[in-house]
Amino acid sequence: MLSFEDVAFQYEGEDLPMLDGLSFHIERGEFVSLIGASGCGKSTILRLASGLLQPAHGAIRAAGADIRTQRRWCGYMPQSDLLFPWRTVGQNLRLPLELRGGLSPAEMDARVLETLRRVGLDDCRDKRPAELSGGMRQRAAFARTLLTGSDLLLLDEPFSALDFITRVTMREWLLRQWEQTHKTILFITHDVEEALFLSGRVLVAAERPIRALRSVPVPLAMPRTTEDLAAPEVQRLKNELIGLLRKEG
Amino acid sequence: MPKRKNVYLPSALLVALFLIVWQALAMGMDAAYILPSPVQVVLRLWALRGPLFTAHLPATMSVTLIGLGFSLALGVALALLMDASPTAEHALYPLIVASQTIPTTALAPLFVLWFGYTIWSKVLVTVLMTFFPVVITVFDGFRSVRTDMIDLMTTFGATRGQIFRKLKLPAALPYFFSALKMAVPLSIIGAAIGEWLGAQEGLGYFSRRMMTQLDGAGVFAPILLLSLVAMALVGVVSLLEKRAVTWRGE
């Protein structure tokens, strides 16, 4: 669904490249988390995958085709919800539909309402984002990402600004959404436990420049609950991953 | 809403105090051609209501509104141009700032030479005084747009035009209203100064004529009227703003 082939990237004015000959692949329907210490280039990978940055070398493919030949191949969800304050929640969700065009206002409203129901915000359609709690805003932002209609979702630390309890609730919620929607998700986080809970596979960025990502399968069956994280093999894996990230720092 | 009244009570008291001191001072001096009392000014305004409201206020208002219209059009157009092209920004921004160092009031007599006693010499003074805050504030509004919001729209496949219409325009709207609130009083002042320096009608001209007649209260009366009109117009703009911008400060 998403593959990097020998991708290199360097920010202007920096001595070291961020990525150098990086290749990896994500299968359709996978939930993959990418972890790494802050500043290691996780977000750079996501910005490359979403087309906001251009690689100096190599190719990035989504659904088999080079992303340079495509438009709207992914749904990108940034760290901050970025809901427009002048639009109601419903109007915010309409944005990707309006941009794509081809739907009548009635059809757009129907799609918005259906998606609001899916994320449990159907009574918030006419509210302003400012009236919502942090967790509800992230849910609305996720719903907006779903409405891009793309099968590939790129999520950049979407829960990092939330308080701990909301974060735990939100990751359980996200996992259910993934099970129901069958999307392919690349999820960036610096929280090892979050990565283990959510994904089938964890990619570790543990060098600079990033030449390869270490792929670590998570030994937990779906569906999962937060209690599953207490299993000894998961705890062992968690400590191992934390060790990897610390070595790099 | 009693709470709201309390909020404005201190400023109301301060105004009352100021008027009482002014009244006392004027009565003490007893020289209305130097310092007329507030009561004398109000009485004079009432006595002169005929020419002030039928001839001079409409004249000043038409200069004000035409000047304000040109200032808004010019200011927004320049802001749009500078937002669309960095080259235009680099070329224009310093010139726009430099234009404010020109003493417009000193040039105004020249404008009378160019345009005669027509409305256009006054409109030019008004525009030169008013367009600056409009262009700077609206341009700031366009620049206030968060780059991550632009990035988000880009990943949604938005075109430049869509980013402008759906993101930059609404984001700049609160700035536009701030610009308008600065521009309204400035354009009234600009019109009055233009009339003061060369006109045959208008509140600025009338005030000056009363000056030559040593009619102190007659000088103040049109100025009081101008202030009241400016306050009323800013009030109207604030009301419009409340309706249009419901998200300020978020």
Side-chain angles (χ1 to χ4, degrees):
Chain A
M1 187 65 190
L2 175 71
S3 47
F4 274 49
E5 290 163 15
D6 195 22
V7 172
F9 179 81
Q10 183 163 2
Y11 282 107
E12 221 172 293
E14 286 201 0
D15 298 334
L16 264 183
M18 275 317 243
L19 316 177
D20 189 9
L22 175 67
S23 301
F24 68 91
H25 180 75
I26 294 171
E27 294 291 339
R28 184 175 289 274
E30 262 194 302
F31 195 131
V32 174
S33 289
L34 173 57
I35 59 170
S38 50
C40 74
K42 301 186 298 277
S43 291
T44 306
I45 292 177
L46 215 64
R47 291 176 71 80
L48 283 162
S50 62
L52 290 172
L53 295 174
Q54 313 306 325
H57 182 265
I60 300 166
R61 293 177 197 282
D66 195 311
I67 58 172
R68 277 170 295 193
T69 64
Q70 306 185 59
R71 272 184 100 172
R72 304 186 177 92
W73 62 89
C74 69
Y76 173 67
M77 178 174 174
Q79 207 165 341
S80 139
D81 58 74
L82 299 183
L83 296 168
F84 294 179
W86 52 86
R87 285 178 170 238
T88 64
V89 173
Q91 288 166 343
N92 265 290
L93 264 61
R94 256 176 76 143
L95 183 67
L97 302 176
E98 288 172 17
L99 295 177
R100 199 168 40 185
L103 287 177
S104 74
E107 285 171 316
M108 286 196 273
D109 287 340
R111 295 276 303 276
V112 165
L113 199 61
E114 176 198 322
T115 312
L116 278 171
R117 260 191 218 117
R118 168 184 290 286
V119 301
L121 289 175
D122 33 339
D123 52 345
C124 297
R125 189 184 65 175
D126 299 321
K127 286 189 178 160
R128 296 276 180 165
E131 297 173 68
L132 267 52
S133 69
M136 288 159 95
R137 291 175 68 120
Q138 287 310 103
R139 259 149 61 190
F142 182 76
R144 183 183 54 190
T145 313
L146 283 179
L147 281 165
T148 58
S150 171
D151 287 331
L152 173 64
L153 305 185
L154 306 172
L155 313 185
D156 189 359
E157 304 199 36
F159 306 145
S160 61
L162 302 176
D163 64 84
F164 179 72
I165 300 296
T166 314
R167 213 157 70 209
V168 170
T169 317
M170 284 300 291
R171 64 196 193 198
E172 288 173 350
W173 176 85
L174 178 62
L175 205 52
R176 282 199 304 279
Q177 291 290 322
W178 171 70
E179 285 165 350
Q180 289 164 14
T181 54
H182 310 292
K183 301 276 186 189
T184 310
I185 296 184
L186 175 57
F187 186 92
I188 285 197
T189 180
H190 56 255
D191 183 336
V192 173
E193 204 177 90
E194 190 168 75
L196 287 171
F197 177 74
L198 285 169
S199 34
R201 188 154 73 90
V202 177
L203 295 174
V204 188
E207 53 180 352
R208 168 88 195 267
I210 303 175
R211 293 197 172 84
L213 297 170
R214 185 195 289 237
S215 173
V216 182
V218 179
L220 278 178
M222 297 282 177
R224 296 171 182 170
T225 63
T226 303
E227 288 72 46
D228 295 340
L229 285 174
E233 69 267 30
V234 178
Q235 283 302 314
R236 221 172 14 250
L237 190 54
K238 179 179 159 186
N239 290 331
E240 192 184 316
L241 290 174
I242 290 175
L244 266 177
L245 295 180
R246 285 172 71 126
K247 201 159 57 184
E248 169 221 4
Chain B
M1 285 195 287
K3 221 175 177 163
R4 210 182 137 96
K5 270 182 198 158
N6 286 340
V7 171
Y8 294 108
L9 191 63
S11 68
L13 285 175
L14 214 56
V15 171
L17 185 70
F18 171 73
L19 288 176
I20 289 167
V21 171
W22 179 5
Q23 181 75 28
L25 221 64
M27 285 167 80
M29 277 177 71
D30 194 24
Y33 60 97
I34 298 176
L35 184 67
S37 75
V39 172
Q40 284 172 320
V41 172
V42 172
L43 289 177
R44 197 84 185 100
L45 181 62
W46 181 249
L48 292 169
R49 65 187 183 279
L52 281 182
F53 281 94
T54 56
H56 299 294
L57 181 62
T60 305
M61 279 299 103
S62 48
V63 173
T64 300
L65 293 178
I66 293 172
L68 184 63
F70 274 113
S71 302
L72 290 178
L74 179 68
V76 172
L78 285 172
L80 283 173
L81 189 64
M82 292 198 298
D83 178 60
S85 144
T87 315
E89 183 197 340
H90 294 140
L92 290 172
Y93 201 90
L95 296 186
I96 291 168
V97 174
S99 77
Q100 291 310 292
T101 62
I102 301 170
T104 312
T105 34
L107 284 183
L110 205 59
F111 301 158
V112 176
L113 281 181
W114 296 347
F115 296 104
Y117 282 109
T118 64
I119 195 171
W120 299 110
S121 60
K122 274 81 78 182
V123 168
L124 190 57
V125 175
T126 307
V127 172
L128 282 177
M129 288 186 67
T130 311
F131 90 98
F132 180 71
V134 177
V135 63
I136 296 298
T137 313
V138 173
F139 182 54
D140 270 351
F142 290 141
R143 279 205 298 198
S144 75
V145 175
R146 295 174 56 170
T147 46
D148 46 5
M149 285 189 173
I150 297 177
D151 284 350
L152 182 75
M153 287 194 67
T154 309
T155 68
F156 289 167
T159 61
R160 274 189 77 171
Q162 285 174 323
I163 289 175
F164 180 77
R165 280 199 314 279
K166 293 182 190 289
L167 177 58
K168 288 196 167 183
L169 221 49
L173 198 62
Y175 290 80
F176 176 77
F177 275 103
S178 295
L180 200 53
K181 279 195 274 188
M182 284 186 269
V184 164
L186 273 178
S187 60
I188 291 181
I189 293 170
I193 289 177
E195 289 167 350
W196 183 275
L197 294 167
Q200 285 161 325
E201 56 178 354
L203 293 172
Y205 156 80
F206 189 83
S207 177
R208 182 181 179 167
R209 203 178 77 190
M210 291 299 110
M211 182 87 128
T212 59
Q213 296 172 8
L214 293 181
D215 181 350
V219 172
F220 273 90
I223 292 173
L224 174 65
L225 188 54
L226 275 177
S227 297
L228 292 176
V229 169
M231 281 186 250
L233 281 180
V234 171
V236 170
V237 172
S238 297
L239 276 180
L240 286 176
E241 181 187 21
K242 260 193 188 153
R243 302 201 124 198
V245 183
T246 48
W247 67 90
R248 206 186 256 276
E250 280 165 30

